[in-house]
Amino acid sequence: MSTLATHTPAMLIKDYLVAGGRASLFTGWAFKFGKLPGSPDQVITLIDQGNSANFPHLLVDWVGLQIIVRSERADNGYQSSWLMVQQLRDILLGLDGHPAEFTELDGIVERSYPVPLGYDDNDRHLWSWNAKLLVEPETNALTHRVSL
């Protein structure tokens, strides 16, 4: 089991996405983190982001997450990337808190409906979806914040 002590929120979300028999949903797609790579064509990039200000005395964080989906360069690339971003959204929204792959996660809120970003330099279509994660990090000796 991974936690925020060893992995970023984006990495833990990826672990959740492919768990529970869902890995086959992503056949032919690669997962990447932090930056959209030049290859492969079909890629799901998860990027950790800042978000709303956190409560100063409570050990609860709002963590931003951006997911960029890029399709292969093909006639159906626009449609395939749209379907993938919708599938990701369906899996993540309404998630019950504290899954085994990300025990600090309490829930996910949509920041924006999926947005088409157009095409990259290689004529591959891009979609973006933004969410915020409600996270309860584990307490530690350095924090002055109180756990819920």
Side-chain angles (χ1 to χ4, degrees):
M1 177 177 69
S2 301
T3 67
L4 288 172
T6 59
H7 290 72
T8 72
M11 291 174 178
L12 295 172
I13 289 294
K14 182 262 182 181
D15 291 346
Y16 173 76
L17 286 168
V18 299
R22 289 184 296 268
S24 64
L25 298 173
F26 304 103
T27 301
W29 293 84
F31 282 94
K32 301 294 179 184
F33 303 99
K35 180 183 176 186
L36 191 63
S39 64
D41 289 338
Q42 288 195 152
V43 66
I44 300 165
T45 303
L46 294 96
I47 303 169
D48 295 294
Q49 295 183 321
N51 206 337
S52 307
N54 297 316
F55 300 103
H57 300 295
L58 297 176
L59 196 55
V60 175
D61 295 331
W62 286 105
V63 178
L65 176 70
Q66 180 180 35
I67 299 177
I68 298 176
V69 176
R70 182 180 63 213
S71 65
E72 61 187 342
R73 184 178 178 192
D75 290 339
N76 67 346
Y78 183 88
Q79 181 70 12
S80 65
S81 56
W82 163 253
L83 293 173
M84 178 52 69
V85 79
Q86 287 298 324
Q87 183 171 279
L88 292 163
R89 184 175 175 261
D90 287 343
I91 293 168
L92 294 173
L93 282 181
L95 168 71
D96 289 335
H98 310 285
E101 301 77 22
F102 191 168
T103 57
E104 298 100 329
L105 181 65
D106 280 338
I108 299 176
V109 177
E110 184 172 63
R111 289 187 351 195
S112 69
Y113 193 75
V115 176
L117 299 179
Y119 293 85
D120 69 4
D121 292 341
N122 292 318
D123 208 29
R124 299 171 295 190
H125 196 79
L126 301 161
W127 286 90
S128 174
W129 183 64
N130 295 285
K132 61 182 177 179
L133 316 177
L134 178 58
V135 175
E136 282 186 70
E138 293 181 9
T139 191
N140 63 64
L142 301 176
T143 189
H144 295 284
R145 300 188 298 163
V146 179
S147 296
L148 292 180

